[in-house]
Amino acid sequence: MKMTCRIGRYLTAYADNELSERLTRKVERHLASCEDCARELDSIRGFDRILREAPAAPVVTDEQWARFDRILSQELDRVERKASRPVRIREARPVHADPRRRALAAAGVCAMAVLAFVVIGPLGIIGGFTGSGGGNSCIVESLETPSVGYTPMAFTSNDPEMTIIWVFAEEVDGSIRGDGPGAM
Amino acid sequence: MRTVARTLLTTLVVVMALSSPSLAKDVTIEVTSIAAATVSPEALSRSGGPIIDAKIKAFAPKLQSLFAYNSYSFLGLARSETEFGDPIRLELPEHFVLEVRPERFEKNDIGRIEMMVTLMRDLQAEVTGAGHGRPREEIILRTKIRLENGGTVLLGGPPINGGVLILALSARG
């Protein structure tokens, strides 16, 4: 539809039979001479047809609502009953007030903590790749392959954060170079 | 009671002294060697999906998001400690050798370890079998990197047995 066609604004109402008799005749006269508006009208009618033929949205029946309401009420009652059940609180024991025993206990806890760090620390050394936290940020300062037939490249991935240094090996006569003693 | 407290305190002091940085090595290097390959659709359907070695299952998602291979096998794990300035040689599977020389610890917001990394292949061992003759090494890659402390960088590409070698190199200082 050309935007210059002033009649175009009536097309939707025309398709829906909402125009007065006078306007309907005017639109029809225009449609007889304007191909663009005729195409636009076909498009509007096609769209209406699609809407009519589209499957209707599922409707929740009164019976279904009532069932939902019943289940919800039962569930709320159950939660409420559980919450109102008496809870038995164990009587708290008094903390031992002897300062010497407290100091001893503190020293013991410190010793255990240091021991745990010394023993467990080295086992958890590798962080980034095995997933125990930490980043993998890596800056590649220089990159070279002194041997002929290899091309190195560095890539960085953000997710997961990882730098990959990749060596592309060229093939010589179908065999990978370096496979035999004469390859160097 | 006093004797017990003194014994505990002495133990604590000894343990702390043993764990102090002056006695410990400066840098720990760990290298996980992985063979990656693309296997046939038949082999994949037999295994019911990508073939991932159980030993590297923990980081399989990372590998799969970074590479297009569908088979990952664990070849070995090498770990060693060294000091800044001292190179270490890690003998890897398939006659590969990785030499790592940590150069300095860069103290900034995250902390980085600057190191020279050289990947070599022992051609002599490949021909005659490991341990025979003088090593005749081909340098495949030499790189200088500044890796976040505790982080991992992946080195890969050299072909092995129908696939490629991938090394996960981690360093902690």
Side-chain angles (χ1 to χ4, degrees):
Chain A
M1 182 180 67
K2 287 175 188 166
M3 293 310 287
T4 48
C5 281
R6 291 177 58 200
I7 213 79
R9 75 181 97 156
Y10 299 118
L11 289 178
T12 309
Y14 174 78
D16 294 339
N17 291 322
E18 289 170 351
L19 292 180
S20 65
E21 213 171 294
R22 190 179 63 81
L23 267 174
T24 302
R25 277 200 303 275
K26 196 174 175 183
V27 170
E28 279 170 349
R29 271 201 306 277
H30 176 77
L31 285 170
S33 61
C34 179
E35 278 183 26
D36 289 333
C37 285
R39 262 201 301 275
E40 179 65 15
L41 181 67
D42 283 347
S43 164
I44 291 167
R45 284 177 169 160
F47 185 67
D48 285 348
R49 197 169 51 247
I50 290 167
L51 285 179
R52 276 198 306 276
E53 290 168 4
V59 176
V60 180
T61 62
D62 289 346
E63 194 185 336
Q64 284 168 323
W65 269 120
R67 189 163 168 265
F68 171 74
D69 197 39
R70 203 168 51 245
I71 292 169
L72 187 66
S73 302
Q74 283 170 358
E75 197 60 23
L76 284 172
D77 285 348
R78 197 180 63 79
V79 171
E80 205 173 329
R81 274 200 305 275
K82 201 173 172 185
S84 61
R85 228 179 270 165
V87 180
R88 211 174 64 186
I89 300 168
R90 289 175 66 183
E91 198 177 318
R93 286 183 191 173
V95 177
H96 211 287
D98 184 352
R100 280 183 304 177
R101 290 191 72 168
R102 276 210 308 226
L104 194 64
V109 168
C110 285
M112 290 300 286
V114 173
L115 205 62
F117 174 77
V118 171
V119 174
I120 298 165
L123 299 178
I125 272 163
I126 301 306
F129 203 61
T130 50
S132 64
N136 295 315
S137 165
C138 180
I139 298 164
V140 179
E141 293 281 342
S142 66
L143 198 57
E144 58 164 340
T145 48
S147 305
V148 181
Y150 294 108
T151 308
M153 287 186 91
F155 310 89
T156 301
S157 152
N158 289 327
D159 188 23
E161 184 186 23
M162 189 66 71
T163 297
I164 305 161
I165 298 172
W166 203 255
V167 181
F168 294 91
E170 293 166 17
E171 291 189 9
V172 179
D173 298 326
S175 62
I176 304 297
R177 71 175 305 287
D179 267 355
M184 274 190 81
Chain B
M1 183 65 67
R2 196 171 290 172
T3 317
V4 177
R6 195 177 295 155
T7 312
L8 261 173
L9 204 65
T10 312
T11 312
L12 191 67
V13 168
V14 169
V15 165
M16 285 179 82
L18 284 174
S19 62
S20 73
S22 59
L23 292 177
K25 292 278 189 181
D26 290 327
V27 191
T28 303
I29 303 291
E30 186 176 277
V31 178
T32 306
S33 303
I34 298 157
T38 303
V39 299
S40 65
E42 293 79 34
L44 271 188
S45 63
R46 272 199 302 273
S47 70
I51 303 162
I52 312 278
D53 203 314
K55 287 174 185 161
I56 50 172
K57 245 184 175 120
F59 44 84
K62 277 186 183 177
L63 287 172
Q64 286 176 293
S65 66
L66 291 166
F67 303 106
Y69 301 104
N70 53 23
S71 163
Y72 298 93
S73 317
F74 174 80
L75 296 179
L77 177 72
R79 182 184 290 168
S80 188
E81 292 180 4
T82 186
E83 290 169 15
F84 283 97
D86 280 356
I88 50 158
R89 266 174 76 91
L90 297 166
E91 305 281 340
L92 306 178
E94 305 285 328
H95 310 298
F96 284 96
V97 177
L98 194 72
E99 190 181 277
V100 182
R101 193 180 71 210
E103 296 191 330
R104 68 186 178 98
F105 190 89
E106 194 181 293
K107 282 183 185 163
N108 51 23
D109 53 336
I110 52 172
R112 289 179 187 276
I113 297 170
E114 183 178 299
M115 52 191 165
M116 279 298 303
V117 180
T118 309
L119 177 64
M120 295 166 278
R121 186 153 49 175
D122 185 353
L123 299 177
Q124 191 68 33
E126 271 187 32
V127 177
T128 60
H132 297 278
R134 252 175 12 151
R136 185 169 156 223
E137 288 164 345
E138 176 190 38
I139 296 175
I140 295 170
L141 171 73
R142 190 184 285 142
T143 181
K144 186 180 194 173
I145 56 172
R146 283 157 55 212
L147 178 63
E148 185 172 343
N149 189 21
T152 300
V153 61
L154 296 181
L155 312 174
I160 47 161
N161 303 330
V164 293
L165 176 74
I166 295 176
L167 304 174
L169 164 67
S170 304
R172 183 178 289 271

